Amino acid sequence: MKLKVHTQILIAIALAVAVGVVLGERVAPIKIVGDIFIRLLKAIIIPLILASMVAGIVSLGDVRKLGRIGLKTLLYYMATTTLAVVVGLVVVNLMEPGAGVDIGTETGSEAASGEVPSIASIIEDIVPANLFDAMAKDKVLSIIFFALLLGVAISSIAEKGKPLVAFFEAFNAVMMKITGWIMHLAPFGVFALMAHTIGTMGLSVWKPLALYMATVALGLVIHAFITLPILLHTFAKYSPVKFIRDVFTAVATAFSTASSAATLPITMDCLQENTGVSNKVTSFVLPLGATVNMDGTALYEAVSAIFIAQAYGIDLHLGQQLIVMITATLASIGAAAIPGAGLITMVIVLKAVNLPLEGIGMILAVERLLDMLRTAVNVWGDACGAAVVARLEGEKLNYKPTSG
Ligand code: ASP
């Protein structure tokens, strides 16, 4: 009997936990398997986005549809990210994980060393000065912008553009084929990454931060299991239980890689193959979502900022919490879809309400695990978004039981 991919991955996770616990640090060499899995995914992200977006746009027929899809996507993304932050703020204010925390002696200098993107630089990055430079640096927003331009231009020259339409459609089909192959490796990749994480993380550092982790996790659980399923059920008319099964490979890959970008090819494949959302929608909604829609990251940043304030005995009044809400949303948009990015853009939130940046040092010890959790929620949010937008666009989604 052939097991479904999501069953294989569940087994891989369980095995990874066991192997990680038993072997501890000795599990380190296994990382190479996970690294190769991530490298394969990364290798196809840029060509996949370019090909699938151009193919998606030319298949729209009417370019005005693109504006409509874009508007719905942005509305959905803004609304869900805001909801996530609100949940985070409520939970952290109720649980007060920072009250009574002994401010550690660790300093935050290491964490604060990453480059914090400014809003201006994010906007500037959208327009590539050099396409190949943008591709080489994995600048997804630049690629999206260029693909939009290319797709609309090809559509607008009608007959003459036909060879390019055929080219990009074929290119897209080939990229999806490669993604399908890589997905067969997902159970091995997830196993290696998880076993490595579990084997090499010191459990002892967690204790003082247990309540903080529980707070972030609770917020993420509420958002992922209550808020998003309600939206999915109401707007996409899709059973959340079936949907999680359909996109489980993507969510598990996000969890183990802690990178929405690396997961993108798998997210696209799951939605197109299992849920029936068209390439028209996935090709636009998902790359954009992987880059700017990070519900989990926004929630994490809001909770962490308040946690740090609590730990330092700083009372944030309602107006300041509102600033946290807005900046956490912006900082999540600015965060790159790679591991640890949310921790760096959190500086934006802390600065906005004058919280000590050293506070970041406190939470470094548990960063990786929370990164995995929030990335899983980020990708889950993107997937739900694609289904919602597809349904609002009148697409018939797939309700047949899936075969893998
Ligand atoms: N790792 C996250 C992602 O790729 C971003 C973050 O660090 O919050 O979605």
Side-chain angles (χ1 to χ4, degrees):
M1 190 187 71
K2 199 172 171 320
L3 293 175
K4 291 180 177 171
V5 178
H6 61 249
T7 317
Q8 291 176 15
I9 289 183
L10 278 177
I11 295 172
I13 293 175
L15 278 177
V17 174
V19 170
V21 169
V22 173
L23 293 186
E25 300 266 348
R26 276 169 297 166
V27 83
I30 205 176
K31 186 154 179 279
I32 189 166
V33 177
D35 285 345
I36 288 175
F37 175 58
I38 295 182
R39 291 175 81 97
L40 281 169
L41 287 168
K42 280 188 166 168
I44 56 165
I45 297 171
I46 298 296
L48 175 67
I49 294 177
L50 193 63
S52 83
M53 275 194 79
V54 174
I57 293 166
V58 293
S59 69
L60 282 175
D62 180 356
V63 175
R64 268 169 301 181
K65 271 194 204 157
L66 186 66
R68 229 176 40 208
I69 293 180
L71 193 68
K72 285 174 190 164
T73 307
L74 290 182
L75 274 179
Y76 170 90
Y77 284 166
M78 284 317 292
T80 49
T81 304
T82 310
L83 281 173
V85 177
V86 171
V87 167
L89 285 176
V90 170
V91 172
V92 73
N93 278 296
L94 289 179
M95 295 194 31
E96 294 202 325
V101 165
D102 180 20
I103 302 160
T105 45
E106 277 182 276
T107 67
S109 50
E110 188 196 331
S113 62
E115 209 182 310
V116 183
S118 70
I119 304 290
S121 76
I122 294 168
I123 295 174
E124 221 177 79
D125 259 358
I126 296 176
V127 184
N130 179 328
L131 181 64
F132 294 97
D133 182 60
M135 286 197 192
K137 292 190 177 134
D138 279 342
K139 293 199 169 158
V140 174
L141 286 182
S142 302
I143 310 301
I144 292 178
F145 177 84
F146 189 79
L148 281 173
L149 211 60
L150 202 58
V152 173
I154 293 174
S155 293
S156 67
I157 56 170
E159 273 306 304
K160 267 197 190 153
K162 284 271 162 65
L164 278 177
V165 173
F167 169 79
F168 279 106
E169 279 173 356
F171 198 33
N172 182 35
V174 170
M175 286 301 133
M176 290 310 287
K177 188 82 211 163
I178 297 177
T179 306
W181 289 337
I182 300 175
M183 272 176 71
H184 288 302
L185 301 177
F188 301 99
V190 169
F191 169 79
L193 292 166
M194 288 282 303
H196 178 259
T197 308
I198 294 192
T200 54
M201 71 188 162
L203 287 176
S204 56
V205 295
W206 287 18
K207 258 206 207 127
L209 293 166
L211 190 58
Y212 157 68
M213 287 165 66
T215 311
V216 176
L218 178 66
L220 291 174
V221 163
I222 294 175
H223 188 69
F225 289 100
I226 300 178
T227 313
L228 291 175
I230 290 178
L231 295 176
L232 188 70
H233 190 266
T234 314
F235 294 106
K237 310 257 186 290
Y238 208 104
S239 148
V241 178
K242 173 166 175 357
F243 196 71
I244 185 64
R245 262 196 251 137
D246 290 344
V247 303
F248 184 76
T249 306
V251 174
T253 304
F255 182 70
S256 58
T257 61
S259 168
S260 306
T263 311
L264 181 62
I266 297 194
T267 320
M268 294 183 73
D269 188 278
C270 284
L271 274 145
Q272 288 181 31
E273 298 299 320
N274 303 341
T275 69
V277 174
S278 74
N279 177 52
K280 293 183 184 66
V281 170
T282 54
S283 69
F284 179 74
V285 176
L286 294 177
L288 192 68
T291 325
V292 304
N293 181 48
M294 299 192 184
D295 299 356
T297 300
L299 187 151
Y300 158 84
E301 295 196 4
V303 170
S304 302
I306 306 286
F307 168 73
I308 289 170
Q310 290 170 350
Y312 279 89
I314 302 167
D315 230 0
L316 294 181
H317 56 68
L318 202 62
Q320 285 168 310
Q321 300 230 5
L322 202 66
I323 295 178
V324 169
M325 187 175 130
I326 295 167
T327 48
T329 305
L330 292 175
S332 74
I333 295 173
I338 54 172
L343 187 76
I344 294 166
T345 62
M346 198 162 74
V347 171
I348 298 174
V349 185
L350 297 180
K351 274 198 178 146
V353 282
N354 278 326
L355 290 172
L357 299 188
E358 293 73 42
I360 289 182
M362 275 197 304
I363 55 176
L364 266 183
V366 294
E367 155 64 10
R368 177 68 189 190
L369 186 75
L370 294 181
D371 195 4
M372 291 161 75
L373 287 173
R374 66 184 188 250
T375 308
V377 174
N378 290 346
V379 168
W380 172 233
D382 299 341
C384 292
V388 167
V389 172
R391 181 73 190 206
L392 293 179
E393 279 297 299
E395 286 188 10
K396 277 219 165 17
L397 303 183
N398 182 3
Y399 283 93
K400 289 195 301 281
T402 53
S403 56

